[in-house]
Amino acid sequence: MSHNRSLLVTNCSQLVTLAGPPRPRIGAEMRELAIIPDGAMLVRNDRIAAVGTRAEIEPLAPQDTQVVEAQGRVVMPGFVDAHTHLIFAGNRSDEFEMRCAGATYQQISERGGGIRSTVRRTRAASEDDLVATGRKHARWFLSGGTTTVEAKSGYGLTVDDESKILRAIWRVSEATPLRCVPTFLGAHEIPEEFKSRPDDYVDLVVNEMLPRLVKENLVEFCDCFCEAKVFSVPQAEHVLTAAKQHGLGLRIHADQFTSGGAVELAARLGAKTADHLEQTTQESMNKMKQAGVQPVLLPASVYAIGSQKYAPARAMMEAGLPVVIATDFNPGSSPTTSMTMVLSLACTQMKMLPSEALTAATINAAYSLNRGHEIGSLEPGKIADFVLYDAEDYRELAYFFGIPRTAAVFAAGQEVDLGQLL
Ligand code: NIG
Ligand code: FE
């Protein structure tokens, strides 16, 4: 017999619903958060049943309702982080120190460090090791108020190791309240053993990795790092075209260090997103607009590699693009899971308004993962993923930085017990 469990969240200084048209938000819509002052929300099982003012919602609550007293805090949707490299072994604090001493991210990578050093460690790790680390990362995400992440493979670069990482992603998703959307990133770097014959590696990705991972039902999206000295536009095209034929959605690391046709490729193939875009031109933005490609901006990776060149977020919003912001959590360029840090950077460095940044980190991100109908806003029928923040006004989320302010996190209507994830 199924028992209906209900939850009343009340006394919210602001219930930030982000209710609006059922599609990614553009232009002035990105500033409309549909905030309900003195708000309340009723949850039934894992879904949102009603949102409104306290006066409207409290009378609707059944007698045995569990009450969550928000004590005048902001309540908002859980963050949707649409670009993460969730699973990797070890870390690169050694390279971090080298960068502090003046080496660049690319110099380290050209010397055999960078992604390749994480690949060596990830290959040596067992699936169970990766699940254990993934659970730790999941706790970091959840404790910052993130309830869904896109999670890329890409530190295995052999058929078995990529499969191992993707299975670990699934296991983390099942074992924790963090919802993971799996992306295959076999074309993340040319592995050491293929250095002199990169096209053979591309063939391995296309002919062996993709068919096996699709057959094992492990992936939903495919990504490729399209960049000078990594994968060229024709190589990326080969990988992404094959992925599309297998029915996967497409994402692409584009224009991070150099601008060389990756965005045009994304537009041509109808990719869901083009990510990074620090070097993107106005012309490329127009192509993204025409093709419906969403930009995913990753300011924490610009900050952490010590660059000053942030993506032109304002120009993108003016071009009518439904901008997304994400952490790019990874051990090299962006060792953070903090979406509030990303909000801070989006506002201070890319001159987004706090409202625009919040839209980019929730509902627009959800649409970029084909989940806009289920998550990313607090609307009746959607999954009850929400967060109580120690703030009275949503702008404080982007304003204070480096301070943990998550009072409580709920995923699918259940409070996340962060201690239990340790
Ligand atoms: O998104 N650009 C490529 N991939 C990651 C970095 C991965 C790493 O350094 O380990 C990024 O920045
Ligand atoms: Fe990335």
Side-chain angles (χ1 to χ4, degrees):
M1 205 179 74
S2 78
H3 178 68
N4 273 339
R5 198 172 44 81
S6 70
L7 195 74
L8 171 71
V9 189
T10 193
N11 193 11
C12 314
S13 60
Q14 297 182 329
L15 184 70
V16 183
T17 69
L18 288 119
R23 54 168 173 73
R25 312 292 160 74
I26 56 172
E29 293 169 354
M30 288 186 69
R31 302 194 282 274
E32 289 162 19
L33 303 181
I35 293 170
I36 304 173
D38 197 24
M41 176 166 71
L42 193 61
V43 172
R44 196 167 301 123
N45 298 326
D46 63 335
R47 301 275 161 171
I48 297 166
V51 294
T53 61
R54 283 180 83 169
E56 289 165 342
I57 300 301
E58 285 183 357
L60 305 178
Q63 246 177 3
D64 61 348
T65 299
Q66 182 193 340
V67 178
V68 177
E69 168 55 60
Q71 296 176 311
R73 293 189 176 97
V74 165
V75 176
M76 55 163 277
F79 288 116
V80 178
D81 192 340
H83 184 135
T84 88
H85 303 254
L86 178 73
I87 301 279
F88 52 84
N91 67 55
R92 305 220 294 271
S93 54
D94 52 344
E95 293 182 4
F96 173 69
E97 186 180 37
M98 289 157 74
R99 291 207 309 276
C100 296
T104 68
Y105 177 84
Q106 285 148 300
Q107 283 165 348
I108 292 169
S109 158
E110 278 154 29
R111 286 185 220 137
I115 295 172
R116 286 198 187 98
S117 69
T118 300
V119 168
R120 285 190 286 276
R121 280 179 264 201
T122 306
R123 284 179 176 176
S126 70
E127 187 180 312
D128 286 348
D129 293 338
L130 296 180
V131 172
T133 318
R135 285 173 73 113
K136 177 174 75 174
H137 297 162
R139 180 166 51 82
W140 293 351
F141 276 108
L142 287 160
S143 64
T146 299
T147 46
T148 299
V149 297
E150 181 257 15
K152 302 174 194 297
S153 67
Y155 292 112
L157 313 186
T158 67
V159 185
D160 288 340
D161 290 305
E162 286 294 301
S163 167
K164 172 178 78 180
I165 295 169
L166 286 159
R167 278 183 274 123
I169 291 171
W170 277 93
R171 284 175 58 189
V172 170
S173 194
E174 277 154 19
T176 75
L178 186 70
R179 194 168 297 113
C180 303
V181 179
T183 295
F184 170 55
L185 177 55
H188 192 195
E189 177 60 286
I190 297 145
E192 235 135 46
E193 64 277 17
F194 281 93
K195 232 171 155 178
S196 59
R197 42 190 188 106
D199 282 327
D200 290 352
Y201 181 65
V202 173
D203 287 341
L204 181 75
V205 169
V206 169
N207 299 328
E208 291 181 43
M209 292 188 195
L210 262 172
R212 164 143 161 221
L213 301 172
V214 168
K215 188 160 157 260
E216 291 176 351
N217 225 339
L218 290 173
V219 278
E220 191 170 328
F221 286 96
C222 180
D223 191 347
C224 174
F225 186 18
C226 187
E227 178 65 47
K229 300 189 187 147
V230 192
F231 294 97
S232 66
V233 171
Q235 288 169 332
E237 180 155 12
H238 190 32
V239 171
L240 294 176
T241 305
K244 191 175 170 176
Q245 282 161 359
H246 283 291
L248 302 184
L250 308 181
R251 317 179 85 80
I252 184 166
H253 281 68
D255 292 1
Q256 182 178 9
F257 300 112
T258 55
S259 164
V263 174
E264 289 68 17
L265 174 65
R268 208 159 58 239
L269 296 178
K272 197 75 198 169
T273 67
D275 304 38
H276 277 289
L277 308 177
E278 285 87 355
Q279 320 294 332
T280 297
T281 61
Q282 187 66 48
E283 207 183 308
S284 304
M285 293 178 214
N286 298 340
K287 292 203 172 115
M288 290 176 74
K289 176 69 188 166
Q290 279 158 20
V293 179
Q294 283 189 255
V296 180
L297 310 184
L298 310 166
S301 71
V302 179
Y303 166 78
I305 64 171
S307 159
Q308 319 287 325
K309 184 124 198 262
Y310 289 87
R314 285 238 69 82
M316 290 179 182
M317 289 187 291
E318 272 152 35
L321 289 167
V323 171
V324 176
I325 55 175
T327 60
D328 192 13
F329 174 61
N330 75 69
S333 66
S334 195
T336 184
T337 56
S338 172
M339 283 300 281
T340 47
M341 179 70 192
V342 170
L343 291 182
S344 169
L345 290 166
C347 295
T348 60
Q349 308 303 305
M350 302 198 294
K351 303 296 173 202
M352 292 177 79
L353 298 180
S355 51
E356 293 166 335
L358 211 54
T359 301
T362 54
I363 189 71
N364 277 6
Y367 276 106
S368 85
L369 296 173
N370 293 330
R371 278 168 177 68
H373 59 294
E374 289 217 291
I375 55 172
S377 65
L378 303 179
E379 295 180 87
K382 284 197 167 180
I383 298 174
D385 287 355
F386 60 94
V387 185
L388 277 62
Y389 272 102
D390 269 331
E392 266 179 62
D393 183 297
Y394 76 88
R395 289 172 295 195
E396 293 172 42
L397 289 182
Y399 160 73
F400 288 110
F401 69 94
I403 308 168
R405 283 159 299 157
T406 326
V409 181
F410 287 77
Q414 305 258 19
E415 181 159 8
V416 177
D417 180 351
L418 295 164
Q420 178 243 311
L421 288 174
L422 280 167

